C-alpha cells in the first residue's frame, strides 16, 4: 500500500464504514494491521505546546520574568567576564521606566549572573527630556572611565517641549557594575542640518570604537537620508580624539544597491586584515554584514552566503575575549506565547561564536563552552513508532529513511523529552531529495501535523516551518530559514539546543537558526524524509 497522506485518510474513512456496508473478512483485517496500529499510536502522541517558562539559564531573560531587548556586550579582561548590557523590556510600568539598561555577566554562556547594581542606566522622569526613554548604544573605556553612548528617545515627540525624537547622549562610570551617570555637559548629537537627513526622527544606535589606523575614535549612527532623490537608511560616521567632542565625517554606508529603511545597531570589527560592518535590517529582521579592506569602505557583499542566521537573532553586536569573538542578540517572543502569535519586540538572549571563513565570509558556531556543558550527560531517547522504508545503519541510533513519493513521509517518532534544556545532535546526509527531510518537532502525527525543521536542497536552505505538510510547496515562504549550500552524499553536522520555548539549530557549525517554538519542549519529536532518501547517523540526546 502506498502510504501517503491522501491514501491514509481514505483508508481510515473506509475502515470506519466498511463493516457497516460489507462486513469485514479476516484477510482485510490482517492486511491493514500495521496502518491501524500506527493510527492508534499517533492518536496518543503529545503535541501540546508548553506554557511559557521563566527558568532560562542558557538563553537568559531577566529573573523577574521580564524579557530583554537590544544587547550591548563588553569584554572585561580584568575579571574574564563578558558584561552583557541590555534594554529591559519595561515601558511605562509602575516605576515609569522606559527601556532602562540592565546587565548580566558570564564566562561560559550557560551560567549568567545579573549585575548586582541593578539598573545600570536610568531614563529621565521628565517628559520633556531627550532621555525620557532609552535606546541602545555601547560602552568603551578610556583610562579609568567607562563611556556609555546611548540613544535618548522621547516618544512624546512632537510636542511643545520635544522637537527631536532621538539623539545621541553620554553617561559615564568608573565601574562596569554600577549606575552610569548621565553627562549633562555632553551636547546631544542630532542629525546634521541642511544635508537631506531626517532631522526629527530615526537617528539612533551609536557604536563607538577606537581606530588604531587613524588614532581616533569612530562613532557609527543609524540614520535616514535623501540619497540622490531616494530616501534610504544610512550609517553615518563621526570622529573624535577624546570621546566628548565629535565631528560629523559623512555617510559611511548607504546600502549600495539595496534600500534599507533603517540599518539598526551598526558595528565595525576586524578579523585578520578584513573589516566587517554589521547591522540589523529593521524590515526583514535579518542580521546583515559587509566586508572591506579599510575601516572606511567601500563595503562589499559576502562572497558566498548572504547571511548566517534567520530572523531569530536581532539587534546583534559582537565582543571578543582576545581569542574568540561572539555575537549576541535576542530572539523574539510571540504574542500570547503561542506558536501562531506575531513576532514581538524583546525576547531571550542568544549567543553564537562568530568566525572568519577562508573566503573572508563570516560563519557562526555553538560556543565551545556551551557545547561541552550541554554534553555533560547522556539521555537515551525512546522510540515511539516508525513508518515507511526505514533501514538501521551501524553505530548507535543510525538510520536511512527512504520515501518514494511526496507526502509519503517515512519517519521515526520518539517519546517526549521531559527536560527543561537538552541538545539533539546527528550527522545528516542525503542521496536523493525531491522535497525535503529533517527533524519533526511537536508531532501530532507522523505525516501531516508537525513542525518541520528541514533541509530543502532544491532551495539551498535550512528552515523551520510550522505549516502542515500538505500545505508545503515550492513557493511556501519559510517561517524562519537560513541559506546553506547543500550537496548530495555530503555529511552535515546538526546540533539543536532546546531550552523551554527556545530552539537554536547549528548546521556544520557554519550557520544557525534561532527560533521561538512553544511546541519544542516535552512533545513527540523525530526524524523524517519526504520524497527523499536521507541518513541520520549517531542520533544523540545529551543534557547538562
Amino acid at each position: 500500500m502506498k502510504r501517503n497522506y491522501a491514501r491514509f485518510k481514505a483508508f481510515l474513512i473506509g475502515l470506519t464504514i466498511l463493516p457497516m456496508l460489507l462486513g469485514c473478512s479476516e484477510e482485510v483485517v490482517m492486511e491493514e494491521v500495521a496502518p491501524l496500529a500506527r493510527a492508534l499510536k499517533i492518536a496518543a502522541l503529545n503535541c501540546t505546546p508548553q506554557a511559557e517558562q521563566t527558568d532560562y539559564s542558557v538563553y537568559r531573560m531577566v529573573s523577574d520574568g521580564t524579557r530583554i531587548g537590544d544587547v550591548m556586550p563588553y569584554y572585561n579582561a580584568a575579571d574574564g567576564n563578558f558584561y552583557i548590557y541590555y534594554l529591559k523590556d519595561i515601558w511605562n510600568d509602575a516605576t515609569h521606566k522606559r527601556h532602562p539598561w540592565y546587565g548580566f555577566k558570564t564566562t561560559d554562556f550557560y551560567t549568567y549572573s545579573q549585575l548586582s547594581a541593578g539598573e545600570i542606566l536610568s531614563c529621565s522622569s521628565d517628559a520633556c527630556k531627550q532621555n525620557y526613554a532609552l535606546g541602545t548604544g555601547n560602552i568603551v573605556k578610556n583610562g579609568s572611565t567607562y563611556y556609555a553612548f546611548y540613544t535618548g528617545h522621547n516618544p512624546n515627540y512632537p510636542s511643545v517641549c520635544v522637537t527631536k525624537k532621538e539623539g545621541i547622549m553620554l553617561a559615564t562610570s568608573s565601574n562596569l557594575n554600577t549606575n552610569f551617570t548621565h553627562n549633562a555637559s555632553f551636547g546631544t548629537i542630532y542629525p546634521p542640518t541642511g544635508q537631506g537627513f531626517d532631522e526629527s526622527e530615526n537617528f539612533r544606535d551609536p557604536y563607538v570604537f577606537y581606530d588604531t589606523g587613524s588614532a581616533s575614535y569612530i562613532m557609527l549612527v543609524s540614520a535616514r537620508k535623501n540619497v540622490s532623490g531616494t530616501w534610504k537608511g544610512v550609517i553615518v560616521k563621526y570622529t573624535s580624539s577624546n570621546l566628548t567632542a565629535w565631528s560629523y565625517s559623512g555617510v559611511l554606508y548607504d546600502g549600495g544597491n539595496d534600500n534599507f529603511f533603517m540599518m539598526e545597531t551598526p558595528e565595525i570589527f576586524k578579523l585578520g586584515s578584513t573589516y566587517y560592518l554589521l547591522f540589523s535590517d529593521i524590515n526583514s529582521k535579518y542580521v546583515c554584514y559587509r566586508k572591506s579592506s579599510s575601516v572606511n569602505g567601500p563595503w562589499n557583499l559576502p562572497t558566498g552566503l548572504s547571511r548566517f542566521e534567520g530572523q531569530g537573532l536581532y539587534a546583534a553586536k559582537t565582543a571578543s575575549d582576545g581569542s574568540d569573538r561572539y555575537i549576541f542578540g535576542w530572539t523574539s517572543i510571540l504574542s500570547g506565547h503561542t506558536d501562531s502569535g506575531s513576532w514581538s519586540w524583546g525576547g531571550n538572549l542568544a549567543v553564537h561564536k562568530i568566525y572568519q571563513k577562508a573566503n573572508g565570509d563570516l560563519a557562526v558556531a555553538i560556543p565551545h563552552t556551551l557545547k561541552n556543558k550541554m554534553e555533560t550527560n547522556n539521555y537515551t531517547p525512546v522510540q515511539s513508532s516508525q513508518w515507511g522504508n526505514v533501514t538501521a545503519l551501524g553505530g548507535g541510533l543510525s538510520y536511512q529513511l527512504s520515501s518514494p513519493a511526496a507526502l509519503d513521509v517515512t519517519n521515526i517518532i520518539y517519546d517526549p523529552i521531559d527536560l527543561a534544556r537538552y541538545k539533539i545532535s546527528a550527522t545528516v546526509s542525503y542521496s536523493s531529495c525531491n522535497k525535503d527531510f529533517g527533524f519533526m518537532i511537536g508531532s501530532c502525527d507522523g505525516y501531516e501535523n508537525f513542525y518541520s525543521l528541514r533541509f530543502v536542497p532544491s532551495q539551498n536552505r535550512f528552515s523551520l516551518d510550522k505549516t502542515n505538510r500538505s500545505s508545503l510547496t515550492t513557493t511556501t515562504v519559510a517561517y524562519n530559514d537560513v541559506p546553506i549550500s547543500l550537496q548530495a552524499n555530503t555529511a552535515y553536522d546538526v546540533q539543536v539546543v532546546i531550552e523551554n520555548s527556545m530552539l537554536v539549530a547549528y548546521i556544520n557549525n557554519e550557520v544557525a537558526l534561532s527560533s521561538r517554538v512553544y511546541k519544542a519542549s516535552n512533545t513527540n519529536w523525530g526524524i523524517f524524509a519526504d520524497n527523499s532518501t536521507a541518513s541520520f547517523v549517531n542520533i544523540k540526546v545529551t543534557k547538562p
Side-chain angles (χ1 to χ4, degrees):
M1 183 180 72
K2 184 177 180 181
R3 293 178 288 266
N4 61 26
Y5 174 55
R7 293 195 177 192
F8 184 64
K9 283 205 329 185
F11 162 71
L12 289 179
I13 295 170
L15 191 64
T16 302
I17 66 174
L18 189 59
M20 295 183 288
L21 297 178
L22 300 174
C24 187
S25 71
E26 182 178 358
E27 289 76 19
V28 172
V29 172
M30 292 302 292
E31 182 183 1
E32 300 297 346
V33 162
L36 180 58
R38 176 178 186 246
L40 293 174
K41 188 70 174 180
I42 286 171
L45 296 180
N46 179 18
C47 59
T48 303
Q50 177 178 279
E52 181 59 301
Q53 308 296 306
T54 58
D55 64 327
Y56 287 89
S57 60
V58 176
Y59 302 112
R60 277 302 301 264
M61 56 187 289
V62 190
S63 60
D64 64 9
T66 307
R67 302 289 170 169
I68 70 168
D70 299 2
V71 294
M72 299 152 277
Y74 179 94
Y75 179 71
N76 183 35
D79 63 7
N81 276 281
F82 286 91
Y83 286 73
I84 306 163
Y85 302 96
Y86 57 88
L87 304 182
K88 189 174 182 180
D89 188 15
I90 52 177
W91 189 269
N92 284 342
D93 68 345
T95 62
H96 302 291
K97 301 294 184 179
R98 293 156 299 280
H99 291 172
W101 286 22
Y102 279 70
F104 305 123
K105 64 179 181 179
T106 186
T107 60
D108 51 31
F109 308 113
Y110 59 81
T111 303
Y112 294 83
S113 59
Q114 294 182 184
L115 296 185
S116 58
E119 193 168 282
I120 294 295
L121 184 59
S122 305
C123 54
S124 174
S125 59
D126 186 338
C128 290
K129 294 295 185 182
Q130 188 64 65
N131 58 345
Y132 186 61
L134 303 185
T136 192
N138 81 310
I139 291 175
V140 62
K141 186 180 183 183
N142 184 23
S144 58
T145 302
Y146 296 93
Y147 293 74
F149 292 90
Y150 66 98
T151 305
H153 176 97
N154 196 316
N156 296 321
Y157 165 85
S159 66
V160 173
C161 62
V162 184
T163 59
K164 306 284 187 182
K165 194 168 191 175
E166 295 178 324
I168 309 307
M169 308 184 80
L170 172 65
T172 58
S173 175
S174 60
N175 193 299
L176 289 169
N177 187 11
T178 190
N179 186 265
F180 279 66
T181 303
H182 171 66
N183 187 332
S185 64
F186 180 80
T188 301
I189 301 174
Y190 294 109
T193 58
Q195 297 193 36
F197 283 94
D198 177 353
E199 296 180 11
S200 301
E201 302 184 59
N202 296 307
F203 191 76
R204 56 184 176 268
D205 302 352
Y207 182 82
V208 175
F209 65 100
Y210 184 73
D211 174 42
T212 56
S214 62
S216 66
Y217 291 95
I218 293 176
M219 177 192 292
L220 309 180
V221 182
S222 297
R224 277 183 62 76
K225 188 179 187 297
N226 189 315
V227 179
S228 302
T230 300
W231 280 96
K232 303 182 71 175
V234 298
I235 298 172
V236 298
K237 174 183 174 182
Y238 287 79
T239 58
S240 174
S241 61
N242 58 12
L243 291 172
T244 55
W246 291 90
S247 299
Y248 173 65
S249 299
V251 173
L252 180 79
Y253 184 59
D254 67 4
N257 293 328
D258 297 312
N259 188 339
F260 300 97
F261 184 88
M262 282 291 282
M263 292 181 276
E264 294 194 304
T265 61
E267 176 192 356
I268 288 178
F269 61 90
K270 188 179 184 182
L271 292 176
S273 60
T274 302
Y275 290 89
Y276 295 90
L277 174 63
L278 191 76
F279 59 91
S280 291
D281 173 20
I282 193 173
N283 286 334
S284 70
K285 304 304 180 186
Y286 293 139
V287 174
C288 306
Y289 73 95
R290 302 291 185 261
K291 307 185 298 185
S292 180
S293 59
S294 167
V295 73
N296 298 309
W299 300 99
N300 302 308
L301 292 166
T303 303
L305 301 176
S306 60
R307 51 189 170 87
F308 47 73
E309 245 281 14
Q311 295 175 308
L313 188 80
Y314 193 71
K317 286 197 176 80
T318 77
S320 173
D321 59 8
S323 177
D324 296 308
R325 184 168 289 271
Y326 299 88
I327 185 167
F328 304 73
W330 52 268
T331 300
S332 289
I333 58 168
L334 303 181
S335 60
H337 295 307
T338 65
D339 281 320
S340 60
S342 59
W343 297 56
S344 302
W345 192 92
N348 291 60
L349 175 68
V351 183
H352 310 316
K353 183 182 290 187
I354 189 167
Y355 66 95
Q356 183 184 56
K357 297 168 66 176
N359 66 358
D361 286 356
L362 295 175
V364 291
I366 183 172
H368 59 277
T369 50
L370 175 58
K371 180 178 184 294
N372 292 341
K373 179 67 174 180
M374 295 301 296
E375 294 176 351
T376 301
N377 299 290
N378 291 322
Y379 176 97
T380 303
V382 177
Q383 184 172 322
S384 173
S385 64
Q386 73 180 52
W387 178 262
N389 187 0
V390 176
T391 302
L393 304 175
L397 299 180
S398 301
Y399 308 94
Q400 182 188 77
L401 277 57
S402 185
S403 162
L407 298 180
D408 191 354
V409 182
T410 297
N411 64 68
I412 297 177
I413 300 177
Y414 294 97
D415 285 350
I417 299 171
D418 188 14
L419 296 171
R421 55 198 62 85
Y422 56 94
K423 183 166 80 75
I424 300 171
S425 61
T427 300
V428 181
S429 62
Y430 69 99
S431 58
S432 66
C433 183
N434 294 311
K435 189 174 181 182
D436 62 358
F437 56 90
F439 295 82
M440 313 160 71
I441 303 295
S443 302
C444 296
D445 57 43
Y447 56 94
E448 165 74 348
N449 191 353
F450 59 85
Y451 294 167
S452 306
L453 194 60
R454 63 192 189 120
F455 291 84
V456 190
S458 64
Q459 299 174 26
N460 280 318
R461 64 181 173 90
F462 180 80
S463 70
L464 169 70
D465 287 284
K466 298 182 178 181
T467 306
N468 282 350
R469 297 293 304 173
S470 60
S471 298
L472 286 175
T473 70
T474 55
T475 60
T476 300
V477 177
Y479 179 79
N480 194 13
D481 74 342
V482 64
I484 182 170
S485 178
L486 297 172
Q487 297 181 338
N489 304 309
T490 301
Y492 295 93
D493 174 77
V494 180
Q495 299 178 77
V496 181
V497 181
I498 293 175
E499 183 176 36
N500 298 320
S501 67
M502 282 288 295
L503 184 154
V504 180
Y506 296 93
I507 310 300
N508 261 9
N509 274 322
E510 181 179 1
V511 299
L513 193 66
S514 303
S515 301
R516 180 75 57 183
V517 186
Y518 295 102
K519 274 191 178 183
S521 291
N522 205 21
T523 58
N524 284 90
W525 63 283
I527 56 176
F528 77 93
D530 190 347
N531 203 1
S532 305
T533 297
S535 296
F536 299 78
V537 175
N538 200 20
I539 300 169
K540 285 185 177 181
V541 178
T542 56
K543 61 181 183 175

